[in-house]
Amino acid sequence: AEEAAREDVCVLILAGGRSSRMGRDKSLVHLRGAPLIHWALSNALQAVGAEDRVVVSAATEESAVRSYVAEAFPRARLVADTAAGMGPLAGIAAGMAACADRAWFLVLPCDCPFVSPAFMRNLINRIATAPPNTKVITPRIQEGFFEPMHTLYSRKLLPTVEKMLAAGERRVFDLFTPSWTVEVSQAAVHDWDPALRSFTNINTPEQLAAAEKELATEKAREKGEVVGNFVNKIGIN
């Protein structure tokens, strides 16, 4: 059942934001030599395995990120927001409309480079045990707080999303109707991703610098562990 559920899922990466706090298109900002959209796509592939099961929603047909994705991940699907200026909800609508062959969409932002494969796979596995009427599966990060940009949405929501956009409504949280929403507990989320790094986003130059520093520290630590293991193996005191 879990394998069947995974086959029915697309990862939908939202890359159509204004990036006002970054001052430039954050999807193409480089972290350790690769743009954030590359990190997002690479992480998504660890969850679903195939490029054609990853969709990138950009603001327009002319977005620079589309050119990058088309070259680096040629089999990934590319869509443009159907309603300009309507935020993430427009990206969700565009992705769902373009992918009629998938029943579920794991929505992720382009600015979270550390999304855990274990988090994604375990969230997707919840589809198999969810009640038949479920349309939203969302993780609880802390008491009373959910993360709509790390959530599974059923394609059955597309008519609702299109009606909301037509009425000028753009709040993704308005999709979280209790009768069809399954909440994943804080405890489960912490089991999947103890440090909650999946939810670390990069919106500003300062956050980018902090992420660079964190990765450099991790690399130095890993190098030290490799050297230490080698020293122990050959018996140097």
Side-chain angles (χ1 to χ4, degrees):
E2 290 179 354
E3 185 61 36
R6 283 194 292 272
E7 289 296 322
D8 233 1
V9 176
C10 257
V11 176
L12 171 55
I13 299 171
L14 302 182
R18 290 177 294 176
S19 305
S20 55
R21 286 185 283 171
M22 184 63 75
R24 52 195 167 124
D25 185 349
K26 62 185 174 183
S27 68
L28 295 176
V29 167
H30 280 233
L31 175 66
R32 299 294 285 186
L36 292 182
I37 189 64
H38 194 108
W39 286 77
L41 277 151
S42 296
N43 290 335
L45 287 174
Q46 292 187 65
V48 294
E51 286 185 16
D52 61 359
R53 293 176 59 199
V54 181
V55 189
V56 177
S57 178
T60 67
E61 296 282 354
E62 293 76 34
S63 296
V65 67
R66 291 174 62 90
S67 298
Y68 178 86
V69 173
E71 183 174 345
F73 298 89
R75 296 187 63 215
R77 306 190 202 189
L78 288 161
V79 298
D81 290 357
T82 52
M86 294 301 286
L89 196 65
I92 293 172
M96 287 182 171
C99 301
D101 57 334
R102 302 297 175 190
W104 286 90
F105 295 79
L106 172 54
V107 171
L108 296 173
C110 69
D111 61 0
C112 289
F114 308 128
V115 178
S116 158
F119 165 78
M120 290 184 285
R121 287 192 291 263
N122 280 293
L123 189 65
I124 290 170
N125 287 344
R126 289 299 177 99
I127 296 171
T129 57
N133 67 325
T134 301
K135 298 180 184 177
V136 176
I137 302 176
T138 188
R140 182 189 290 272
I141 309 307
Q142 58 191 39
E143 191 60 36
F145 183 78
F146 301 97
E147 183 43 81
M149 294 298 100
H150 292 68
T151 289
L152 280 160
Y153 298 92
S154 168
R155 195 174 186 277
K156 294 176 183 177
L157 285 170
L158 181 57
T160 302
V161 172
E162 290 176 335
K163 287 178 184 177
M164 289 171 61
L165 291 171
E169 301 168 9
R170 52 185 293 172
R171 275 174 41 92
V172 178
F173 275 120
D174 289 343
L175 295 173
F176 285 47
T177 299
S179 63
W180 66 47
T181 298
V182 169
E183 301 174 7
V184 178
S185 70
Q186 282 180 258
V189 175
H190 279 267
D191 282 345
W192 303 341
D193 184 0
L196 298 181
R197 293 187 77 206
S198 296
F199 308 96
T200 298
N201 63 344
I202 297 177
N203 280 314
T204 67
E206 293 76 19
Q207 290 171 340
L208 179 63
E212 288 277 12
K213 184 177 180 181
E214 181 180 350
L215 288 173
T217 300
E218 285 184 2
K219 187 173 183 179
R221 185 186 306 119
E222 289 170 1
K223 184 177 180 181
E225 288 174 355
V226 169
V227 171
N229 290 338
F230 177 72
V231 167
N232 291 334
K233 184 177 181 179
I234 64 176
I236 296 177
N237 294 321

